Amino acid sequence: MPTNLLGPEPTLLPEEPEVLESIADADFAASDVAMAHPTSSLAWALLADEAYEQGKTLESYAFARVGYHRGLDALRRSGWKGHGPIPWSHEPNRGVLRALFALQRAADAIGEEDEVERLARFLDDSDPVAAEKIRSGE
């Protein structure tokens, strides 16, 4: 793989086959997935989405915050140094990107403007297409 002369190489998180297997079941419960896989950003992002859709903004914020921190842990374990691409095209990265999006959305709902701006920059710096992909349901 050639070295990226313009910045750090993209961070590619490891796959989570057990999590994907759990959510492939049409009857899965996001809470069960998070309990079975508490280190998974995707599991927490799913819980945040579910809470948000139910009008539970603070719960969504809390779940997204856990997913965000679990994502930071996973990124660091994969060599991330606090900046650089986290491509949406690499499916295992989508959990942390979805948690970022969910945290930004919930922060906006509670009026935490500084965090909304910071998370928007973080998400855009990670992958400029991620937010649009998440909004479109991809």
Side-chain angles (χ1 to χ4, degrees):
M1 175 185 258
T3 302
N4 180 355
L5 299 177
L6 300 176
E9 292 293 325
T11 300
L12 305 177
L13 294 175
E15 294 185 15
E16 297 180 311
E18 300 86 9
V19 174
L20 295 178
E21 184 179 314
S22 294
I23 65 174
D25 181 347
D27 296 326
F28 85 91
S31 58
D32 290 342
V33 177
M35 287 176 57
H37 309 284
T39 61
S40 172
S41 293
L42 178 57
W44 291 102
L46 293 170
L47 268 174
D49 288 346
E50 183 179 276
Y52 191 82
E53 290 166 10
Q54 294 171 358
K56 298 177 180 177
T57 305
L58 289 177
E59 290 88 341
S60 178
Y61 182 89
F63 292 142
R65 172 72 58 197
V66 174
Y68 166 79
H69 284 286
R70 294 299 191 159
L72 292 178
D73 293 344
L75 289 167
R76 289 181 188 115
R77 280 192 306 274
S78 293
W80 185 73
K81 303 291 185 209
H83 64 284
I86 305 166
W88 174 262
S89 60
H90 182 67
E91 190 169 344
N93 289 352
R94 293 181 184 180
V96 68
L97 296 170
R98 287 180 61 177
L100 277 169
F101 181 87
L103 184 56
Q104 178 191 9
R105 177 185 60 206
D108 186 45
I110 64 172
E112 198 170 348
E113 294 176 25
D114 290 344
E115 186 166 39
V116 172
E117 292 173 21
R118 180 183 63 78
L119 291 166
R121 278 192 308 276
F122 187 178
L123 194 55
D124 190 54
D125 289 348
S126 298
D127 190 328
V129 304
E132 185 54 41
K133 296 285 188 181
I134 294 166
R135 274 193 285 279
S136 70
E138 283 188 45

